[in-house]
Amino acid sequence: MIAIFDPAVVHRVMVCVTPQKSCERLIKRGADRAREAGGEFCVVYVNKSTELNKELKDHKILLELFEYAKSLGGYVSILAGDNVYNTLAEYAKNNKITHIIVGKPLQSAFELHKERDIINPLIKAVEKNGILVEVVE
């Protein structure tokens, strides 16, 4: 999926969210980064096929996050893909993203390893395209 970025804009920030209220801080950071660089930002969520029947509260939180992003001047996209980091990396490449913002998971190292880390593979997948990944605590 390709966003509707202005082709004249050089700096494009992509904010990766999950259905958690705490992602508002990531959206704010993305909006600030885009404004500082004179660029644009988008908020993306990857919907894995195994998550199609999420609880309504998750959908409500996502809608609130998307509304917040739009109120700050951002675009929003829901991406579909079973491999989250590949889906994000492909979207970033196709949309000439220059900066990605992700939140650091609030899990232990063991839990993170068990559930498969997304951040490190994402960094490896996009670094060859010169895309900076910022991990927010």
Side-chain angles (χ1 to χ4, degrees), residues 110-129:
F110 175 75
E111 290 172 324
L112 193 61
H113 182 69
K114 188 172 79 175
E115 290 185 22
R116 299 195 45 188
D117 180 23
I118 292 172
I119 295 172
N120 289 320
L122 175 62
I123 292 169
K124 286 181 183 171
V126 300
E127 69 184 356
K128 63 183 171 272
N129 295 317

Side-chain angles (χ1 to χ4, degrees), residues 3-130:
I4 311 166
F5 286 110
D6 180 341
V9 173
V10 176
H11 298 285
R12 297 181 177 150
V13 179
M14 178 174 90
V15 181
C16 306
V17 298
T18 56
Q20 299 174 63
K21 194 83 169 144
S22 62
C23 287
E24 285 181 349
R25 76 190 195 291
L26 303 177
I27 296 169
K28 175 81 168 89
R29 175 80 56 101
D32 290 345
R33 291 282 184 264
R35 188 178 59 256
E36 290 163 5
E40 296 178 311
F41 81 102
C42 65
V43 171
V44 297
Y45 168 71
V46 177
N47 193 352
K48 296 179 4 181
S49 60
T50 56
E51 298 175 344
L52 290 177
N53 295 320
K54 283 191 159 252
E55 292 185 33
L56 285 176
K57 70 175 184 169
D58 287 347
H59 292 298
K60 183 177 185 282
I61 293 169
L62 276 175
L63 290 174
E64 289 171 3
L65 293 172
F66 288 169
E67 286 303 316
Y68 180 58
K70 287 190 231 176
S71 76
L72 297 176
Y75 301 104
V76 296
S77 292
I78 296 177
L79 310 177
D82 289 326
N83 185 310
V84 174
Y85 70 85
N86 275 340
T87 303
L88 293 170
E90 183 178 322
Y91 181 88
K93 180 181 172 193
N94 291 343
N95 287 283
K96 296 180 175 76
I97 299 295
T98 56
H99 192 115
I100 297 174
I101 295 179
V102 295
K104 184 174 182 176
L106 301 174
Q107 302 160 312
S108 71
F110 175 75
E111 290 172 324
L112 193 61
H113 182 69
K114 188 172 79 175
E115 290 185 22
R116 299 195 45 188
D117 180 23
I118 292 172
I119 295 172
N120 289 320
L122 175 62
I123 292 169
K124 286 181 183 171
V126 300
E127 69 184 356
K128 63 183 171 272
N129 295 317

